[in-house]
């Protein structure tokens, strides 16, 4: 019994073994990279990996490369890498999660974000609103979200990286409107969260709550998620509303130095990230509803991405570390919105 | 044919050793890791984490909803077990199989399904909300999810015990003039009470640690519908590993206390009702 099973398995085993060790046309072993990313980038990187493999083969004497992907909540993915997931590359939702690869895992240098152009974010997005067709509550801007009787759907900033961008976008808008009065901004955000009936733990959960369960009048979402929802799921059901100003969401990318040096994949991993900035990479990003950094590609997709006044997290909040500490850590501003005042 | 009793397993020493190793590696070591991690916190920080108003509200909700759900399962699980043991009806094997389904279903799927049923647009939800009862995104929703995932425990612990009760015991009671109610309360209930208690305990323990189904149906509103496991995830999202384990340690300690108390109760019930000479 056992031996016959082994005989049956053997050819397959040998074939797969030889496939692993068979040298490429140029004599180099095929390189395998692991890109650890967050949830909504799955389709983008599926496309990008195929295109990159062709490009790599063409520029490296026919050397083969295959990129594996892993997706999940941004923070969860960062923790997995800190705990030893062998990522060559991380492409996460916010720089704070990548910072922790330095702080908690010592896997990358502190100045990782200066290593690639544009804050190491090859594509950007912003925060917009999705409303039901016809915009029955007439929602035009951030101020409309704090009106009584408007139900706002957004995930929980304590558990979702994407939700932190939503929160900071609202804060930044209120801060500008109030002439940099922090207390007014806090009041505004507290009023906004009073209108939130459900705090899903992740962004896709919020989209489901809004789109499938029919809960709420407006969904605060990343523009790429909003475009995905309206373009591909319910063009006749939802509309995108672009507020007067919003935050520039910069999902960052970096190689994981400790891993690529151990595995000898640094050159390939760097080529991978640089290719994100190429015209082909930028095109793919735009196709998957991320705003390209390249002006040339951006001009081509101008009708797809309405212009909106954008502020950055560095300008308004002094960077992610500070924003995280002030707003989302324990006893931060978000907690005070929900915790009753101490006696 | 007097033979010396022989042990089936090869040697008590070896089996006990293996049991210890198995439990040690799988249970004791991870749990002590948990406790060790919390020791990295200062006492003040620990206390601040585990006794914050939000944590207190979450304990109350988690343990409260778990107890309610386990009680509901104790009552209705007993009924289901009774029907399955005492009656023959078409579709009985189907009902029997249905009982186990909550075991097999990934809890996130259960949560999503329950939420879509009980949301204001769902099959049950639209009528319940019209009647002024909000289930999804409220603490009632949490109880519903916890009841769902705990259902098999009571049925599967009570069922075999019910099967073992001899019909002649009841017949004897009847010939002695007992009413059906007296037969149930004095004969049947006492003999299934230990099993019922252990089913209740299992359902309770299962509910306390539940995360997947609850995050979908609860709405996760701080101070109102936020369960402790979600708070733990929250700590992890801010890379506060020690804070997360501190909450976990509190959960474990309270759960252990609860389970111990119920176990003692169960043993008392066993002694009180079962051992009756002649």
């Amino acid at each position: 019994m056992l031996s016959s099973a082994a005989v049956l398995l053997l050819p397959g085993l040998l074939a797969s073994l030889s496939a692993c060790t068979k040298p490429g046309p140029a004599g180099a072993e095929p390189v395998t990279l692991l890109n650890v990313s967050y949830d909504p980038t799955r389709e983008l990187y599926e496309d990008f990996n195929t295109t990159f493999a062709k490009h790599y083969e063409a520029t490296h004497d026919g050397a083969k490369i295959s990129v594996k992907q892993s997706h999940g909540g941004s923070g969860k993915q960062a923790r997995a890498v800190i705990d030893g997931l062998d990522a060559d590359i991380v492409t996460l939702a916010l720089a704070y999660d990548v910072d922790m690869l330095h702080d908690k895992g010592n896997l990358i240098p502190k100045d990782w974000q200066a290593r690639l152009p544009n804050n190491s974010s090859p594509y950007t997005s912003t925060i917009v609103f999705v409303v039901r067709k016809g915009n029955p509550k007439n929602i035009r801007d951030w101020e409309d979200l704090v009106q009584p009787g408007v139900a706002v759907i957004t995930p929980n900033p304590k558990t979702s990286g994407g939700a932190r961008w939503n929160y900071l976008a609202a804060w930044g808008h209120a801060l500008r409107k109030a002439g940099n009065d922090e207390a007014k901004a806090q009041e505004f955000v507290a009023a906004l969260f009073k209108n939130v009936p459900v705090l899903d733990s992740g962004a896709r959960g919020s989209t489901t709550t809004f789109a499938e369960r029919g809960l709420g009048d407006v969904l605060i979402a990343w523009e790429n998620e909003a475009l995905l929802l309206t373009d591909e799921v319910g063009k006749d059901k939802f509309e995108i509303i672009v507020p007067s100003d919003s935050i520039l969401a910069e999902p960052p990318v970096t190689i994981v130095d400790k891993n690529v040096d151990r595995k000898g994949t640094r050159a390939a991993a760097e080529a991978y990230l640089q290719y994100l900035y190429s015209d082909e990479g930028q095109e793919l990003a735009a196709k998957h509803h991320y705003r390209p950094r390249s002006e040339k590609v951006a001009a081509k997709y101008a009708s797809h991405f309405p212009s909106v006044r954008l502020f950055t997290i560095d300008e308004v909040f002094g960077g992610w570390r500070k924003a995280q500490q002030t707003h989302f850590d324990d006893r931060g501003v978000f907690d005070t919105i929900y915790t009753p005042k101490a006696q | 044919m007097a033979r010396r009793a022989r042990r089936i397993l090869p040697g008590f020493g070896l089996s006990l050793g293996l049991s210890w190793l198995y439990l040690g590696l799988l249970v004791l070591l991870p749990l002590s890791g948990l406790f060790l991690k919390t020791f990295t916190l200062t006492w003040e920080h620990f206390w601040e984490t585990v006794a914050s108003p939000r944590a207190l509200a979450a304990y109350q909700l988690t343990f409260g909803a778990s107890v309610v759900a386990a009680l509901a399962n104790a009552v209705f699980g007993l009924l289901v077990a009774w029907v399955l043991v005492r009656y023959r009806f078409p579709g009985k094997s189907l009902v029997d199989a249905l009982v186990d389904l909550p075991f097999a279903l990934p809890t996130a799927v259960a949560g999503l399904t329950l939420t879509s049923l009980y949301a204001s647009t769902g099959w049950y939800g639209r009528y319940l909300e019209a009647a002024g009862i909000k289930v999804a995104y409220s603490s009632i929703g949490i109880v519903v999810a916890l009841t769902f995932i705990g259902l098999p425990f009571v049925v599967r612990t009570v069922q075999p015990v019910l099967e073992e009760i001899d019909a002649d015991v009841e017949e004897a009671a009847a010939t002695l003039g007992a009413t059906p109610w007296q037969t149930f309360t004095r004969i049947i209930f006492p003999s299934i009470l230990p099993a019922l208690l252990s089913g209740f305990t299992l359902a309770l323990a299962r509910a306390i640690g539940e995360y997947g189904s609850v995050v979908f149906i609860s709405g996760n509103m701080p101070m109102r519908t936020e369960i402790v496991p979600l708070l733990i995830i929250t700590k992890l999202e801010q890379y506060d590993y020690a804070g997360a384990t501190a909450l976990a340690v509190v959960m474990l300690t309270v759960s252990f206390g609860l389970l111990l108390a119920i176990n003692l109760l169960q043993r008392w019930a066993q002694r009180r009702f079962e051992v009756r000479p002649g």
Side-chain angles (χ1 to χ4, degrees):
Chain A
M1 275 294 270
L2 195 74
S3 61
S4 67
V7 167
L8 282 174
L9 283 172
L10 208 56
L13 258 173
L14 286 176
S16 59
L17 270 176
S18 64
C20 285
T21 50
K22 190 168 67 190
E29 285 194 13
V31 183
T32 308
L33 297 177
L34 175 63
N35 175 4
V36 172
S37 194
Y38 64 110
D39 268 326
T41 59
R42 184 175 283 107
E43 294 80 13
L44 164 63
Y45 279 109
E46 266 167 20
D47 260 14
F48 180 76
N49 291 343
T50 322
T51 316
F52 173 70
K54 279 192 203 119
H55 163 79
Y56 191 83
E57 211 176 322
T59 50
H60 287 76
D61 296 330
K64 296 260 185 254
I65 192 162
S66 82
V67 187
K68 297 201 180 98
Q69 8 182 173
S70 157
H71 296 271
S74 186
K76 201 175 98 205
Q77 294 291 80
R79 288 198 302 281
V81 176
I82 290 168
D83 291 339
L85 178 65
D86 237 350
D88 300 275
I89 298 143
V90 291
T91 52
L92 296 175
L94 33 93
Y96 180 72
D97 288 330
V98 184
D99 279 337
M100 289 304 121
L101 298 187
H102 168 80
D103 288 17
K104 304 277 171 183
N106 210 11
L107 298 165
I108 55 173
K110 192 160 195 237
D111 65 344
W112 64 271
Q113 208 168 4
R115 295 195 289 192
L116 283 166
N118 306 112
N119 272 334
S120 288
S121 306
Y123 42 80
T124 67
S125 192
T126 186
I127 305 303
V128 297
F129 310 149
V130 182
V131 297
R132 303 193 189 282
K133 193 79 191 169
N135 196 0
K137 294 267 166 119
N138 194 26
I139 285 152
R140 295 287 159 216
D141 207 345
W142 290 102
E143 276 71 27
D144 299 316
L145 304 192
V146 299
Q147 298 307 316
V150 172
V152 182
I153 306 294
T154 174
N156 190 340
K158 299 281 275 191
T159 52
S160 155
R164 273 172 241 173
W165 285 111
N166 295 357
Y167 171 105
L168 294 175
W171 185 282
H173 168 84
L175 198 62
R176 188 181 60 80
K177 272 282 159 92
N180 280 330
D181 184 340
E182 296 272 347
K184 286 255 172 64
Q186 178 165 343
E187 222 169 82
F188 180 84
V189 173
L192 196 160
F193 274 90
K194 275 219 170 61
N195 279 351
V196 176
V198 175
L199 284 171
D200 283 291
S201 58
R204 284 271 158 104
S206 273
T207 310
T208 310
T209 300
F210 179 77
E212 310 275 326
R213 314 252 183 280
L215 216 76
D217 303 303
V218 52
L219 170 76
I220 312 182
W222 284 50
E223 184 182 48
N224 60 302
E225 285 280 278
L227 284 168
L228 199 69
L229 183 65
T230 51
D231 272 19
E232 282 155 40
V233 190
K235 212 164 193 121
D236 47 344
K237 283 202 226 142
F238 308 107
E239 275 176 38
I240 294 180
I241 304 292
V242 180
S244 63
D245 61 354
S246 193
I247 198 161
L248 178 72
E250 298 181 297
V253 303
T254 189
I255 57 166
V256 184
D257 298 67
K258 212 170 168 182
N259 294 348
V260 293
D261 286 342
R262 185 168 39 77
K263 292 159 77 178
T265 49
R266 178 180 279 272
E270 278 171 352
Y272 182 82
L273 292 187
Q274 266 144 24
Y275 195 61
L276 281 169
Y277 290 87
S278 73
D279 283 356
E280 291 82 4
Q282 294 285 293
E283 282 269 349
L284 283 178
K287 252 186 215 143
H288 289 278
H289 312 302
Y290 283 97
R291 292 182 176 225
R293 289 284 198 180
S294 145
E295 278 175 26
K296 194 175 97 193
V297 180
K300 199 171 146 192
Y301 285 88
S303 65
H304 199 56
F305 302 108
S307 67
V308 47
R309 182 160 32 160
L310 295 170
F311 48 84
T312 70
I313 190 164
D314 293 341
E315 283 160 26
V316 182
F317 301 94
W320 258 112
R321 278 170 199 274
K322 222 173 139 208
Q324 171 74 30
Q325 204 187 354
T326 316
H327 292 277
F328 308 119
D329 273 355
D330 282 353
R331 294 176 302 282
V333 178
F334 183 75
D335 278 358
T336 57
I337 289 176
Y338 276 105
T339 313
K341 294 265 180 303
Q343 314 72 31
Chain B
M1 286 292 279
R3 281 177 65 189
R4 246 173 58 201
R6 279 180 59 184
R7 289 181 174 125
I8 294 170
L9 286 177
F12 172 70
L14 187 61
S15 357
L16 182 71
L18 279 175
S19 302
W20 264 113
L21 184 70
Y22 188 72
L23 283 175
L25 286 178
L26 278 171
V27 180
L28 216 56
L29 204 63
L31 288 190
S32 40
L34 204 65
F35 277 85
L36 282 179
K37 189 86 197 173
T38 50
F39 290 149
T40 59
L41 288 174
T42 62
W43 176 245
E44 285 78 25
H45 191 170
F46 175 83
W47 187 247
E48 221 174 324
T49 305
V50 301
S52 71
R54 237 169 112 181
L56 294 179
Y59 300 138
Q60 204 178 353
L61 178 69
T62 306
F63 289 108
S66 299
V67 167
V68 174
L71 280 174
N73 275 326
V75 174
F76 291 100
L78 175 61
L79 189 71
V80 172
W82 180 266
V83 167
L84 282 175
V85 170
R86 289 302 170 102
Y87 300 103
R88 302 180 64 170
F89 53 91
K92 179 172 165 175
S93 51
L94 187 71
V95 174
D96 204 32
L98 274 178
V99 167
D100 282 331
L101 270 187
F103 268 151
L105 202 65
T107 52
V109 177
L112 270 172
T113 314
L114 290 173
T115 314
S116 70
L117 284 176
Y118 285 100
S120 50
T121 50
W123 288 354
Y124 304 160
R126 70 181 65 168
Y127 302 112
L128 287 169
E129 296 230 336
I133 305 166
K134 196 170 152 54
V135 177
Y137 313 120
S138 77
S139 45
I140 304 177
I142 300 176
V143 173
V144 168
L146 296 181
T147 310
F148 175 84
I149 53 131
L151 169 75
F153 291 97
V154 173
V155 182
R156 292 300 181 231
T157 46
V158 171
Q159 211 175 357
V161 181
L162 266 182
E163 267 161 5
E164 270 182 22
I165 300 176
D166 284 332
D168 48 5
V169 181
E170 282 168 67
E171 282 159 13
T175 51
L176 291 173
T179 63
W181 178 247
Q182 280 175 324
T183 312
F184 181 76
T185 51
R186 305 238 182 121
I187 310 283
I188 299 169
F189 190 70
S191 46
I192 56 170
L193 184 61
L196 189 64
L197 279 172
S198 88
F200 173 80
T201 316
L202 289 171
L204 180 70
R206 178 78 184 75
I208 287 170
E210 175 58 14
Y211 174 75
S213 60
V214 178
V215 285
F216 287 103
I217 203 167
S218 68
N220 306 323
M221 300 305 285
M223 303 301 295
R224 286 197 285 128
T225 58
E226 190 174 52
I227 53 165
V228 187
L230 183 79
L231 268 189
I232 293 176
I233 299 286
T234 296
K235 300 273 176 213
L236 288 178
E237 284 294 325
Q238 55 203 37
Y239 302 90
D240 180 6
Y241 294 90
T245 46
L247 285 171
V249 160
V250 171
M251 285 269 280
L252 268 182
T253 313
V254 177
S255 306
F256 187 74
L258 269 176
L259 299 184
L260 194 69
I262 301 169
N263 258 321
L264 291 176
L265 197 68
Q266 191 188 340
R267 281 172 61 184
W268 170 83
Q270 219 149 13
R271 270 202 314 268
R272 170 85 175 68
F273 295 113
E274 265 193 344
V275 192
R276 275 199 193 149

